[in-house]
Amino acid sequence: MLQSFAMYLTDTLYRHCPLSPQKRPIFQYGFEIMTSTLCSAFSILLISVFLRDILSACLFLGIFFFLRLFAGGYHAPTYAQCFILTNSVYLVVYLVSRVFIAFQSTIPAIVLTLLSGLIIFTFSPIRNKKHPISEMVYRKNRDIARILVTLEVLVLTSLILLRCDFTYTSVPIVSLAAVAVMMIIPKLQERSE
C-alpha cells in the first residue's frame, strides 16, 4: 500500500513537472520514506494522546527522528516492521522515562546521557549497505550528527545538574540512549557476519 501511494505521488509529480526519467526511482523512494516517517510520527502522537502525554512524543520525535536522520543506525527490513519497531521504541522510551521520573536519580541520568552521546559521536553515521551515500554526504552527516549530539548532551547534562524537573529531561535522555542502541545493533551485526 505504501509503495502504491508513493508510486501515485511520483506519477503525479511527473505529470506536473518536467523531470529526468532516470530520477524516477529516487523520487519514489523519497516518497516512500516520507510517507513511512509521517505515518510513524502520527502514530506516536496518537499513542501519546492516549497516554495523555503529548510532550513525551514531541521530545522523542525531536531527538530520535532528527538525530537518526544524520547518525543512521539499524533499519528494519520492511516498512511495516519499521513502523512497529519505531512505535515500540517510543513505548519503551516512555516506560523507561517513567522510571527516571520516579527515582529522580542524577548520577544514572548523567552517566546514560554521556555514554549515549559518546556512542553516537563515535559511530556516526552508520552506513546503510542497501542505500549507499557518497563520501561527501557521509562526512556532512557525520559532522551534523556530531554537532547535534554534542549540543544535546551539553543541554541535557546542564539541565540535570541544574535539577530541572525530570518530567522534561527523562524522555530526551532515554531517546538519546535509544538512538545509541539503534547504532550498536548494526555494529554487532557486522561482527557476526
Side-chain angles (χ1 to χ4, degrees), residues 67-138:
L67 192 50
R68 278 188 40 93
L69 181 66
F70 300 103
Y74 175 77
H75 289 280
T78 67
Y79 290 117
Q81 289 174 341
C82 177
F83 178 83
I84 291 166
L85 177 66
T86 305
N87 282 273
S88 300
V89 169
Y90 168 68
L91 287 172
V92 169
V93 165
Y94 179 80
L95 292 172
V96 173
S97 72
R98 300 300 107 190
V99 172
F100 269 90
I101 291 169
F103 288 103
Q104 306 247 344
S105 184
T106 304
I107 300 299
I110 289 175
V111 169
L112 185 60
T113 301
L114 294 175
L115 182 61
S116 300
L118 181 63
I119 290 168
I120 296 165
F121 190 91
T122 303
F123 291 147
S124 288
I126 299 289
R127 292 185 187 266
N128 185 343
K129 292 176 186 170
K130 293 181 182 176
H131 301 288
I133 56 175
S134 70
E135 194 59 35
M136 185 177 81
V137 172
Y138 174 84

Side-chain angles (χ1 to χ4, degrees), residues 10 13-14 18-31:
T10 305
L13 178 67
Y14 268 79
L19 300 168
S20 168
Q22 292 88 354
K23 294 194 177 189
R24 187 177 190 83
I26 296 169
F27 284 109
Q28 183 165 340
Y29 176 71
F31 282 129

